[in-house]
């Protein structure tokens, strides 16, 4: 009897864990794949005008606004590349 009660209690605790902790995979939506695709294109240095057209936007404003964090991440890479180029010439 105790084993059944304990098993039920443990199962209840297990069911309350977030999906990631239970080892379940979250549902992937088309919209989340779209965001992933745009982020990957931006990190591959594809121009935002081409990306905007790819995802069906009339101009780059929306893409630039939503993915501004990708540009910020790239700034460190740019500075690093400039430093490497300057010091490699010496």
């Amino acid at each position: 009897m105790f084993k059944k009660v304990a098993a039920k209690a443990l199962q209840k605790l297990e069911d309350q864990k977030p999906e990631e902790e239970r080892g379940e995979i979250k549902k992937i939506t088309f919209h989340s794949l779209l965001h992933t695709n745009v982020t990957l294109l931006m990190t591959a240095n594809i121009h935002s005008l081409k990306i905007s057209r790819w995802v069906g936007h009339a101009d780059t404003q929306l893409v630039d606004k939503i993915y501004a964090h990708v540009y910020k991440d790239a700034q460190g890479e740019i500075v690093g590349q400039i430093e490497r180029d300057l010091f490699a010439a010496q």
Side-chain angles (χ1 to χ4, degrees):
M1 180 73 169
F2 175 76
K3 286 184 180 181
K4 287 183 181 179
V5 172
K8 277 188 176 181
L10 287 173
Q11 186 60 48
K12 191 172 185 179
L13 288 173
E14 183 69 22
D15 291 342
Q16 293 175 353
K17 288 182 181 178
E19 292 171 335
E20 298 87 10
E21 290 181 29
R22 290 192 310 245
E24 296 177 12
I25 298 174
K26 283 187 171 186
K27 181 180 176 184
I28 299 172
T29 64
F30 176 80
H31 194 79
S32 63
L33 287 175
L34 179 71
H35 281 291
T36 301
N37 181 241
V38 171
T39 302
L40 290 171
L41 290 170
M42 292 184 84
T43 57
N45 296 318
I46 304 299
H47 194 279
S48 61
L49 179 61
K50 290 181 180 180
I51 296 171
S52 296
R53 289 183 179 158
W54 174 254
V55 296
H57 297 300
D59 57 45
T60 63
Q61 289 180 355
L62 188 60
V63 170
D64 291 340
K65 182 179 176 183
I66 293 172
Y67 300 97
H69 66 280
V70 177
Y71 290 127
K72 288 178 185 174
D73 293 344
Q75 286 178 350
E77 292 177 31
I78 293 168
V79 170
Q81 185 62 50
I82 291 170
E83 288 176 346
R84 286 189 295 275
D85 290 346
L86 286 174
F87 293 116
Q90 294 178 359

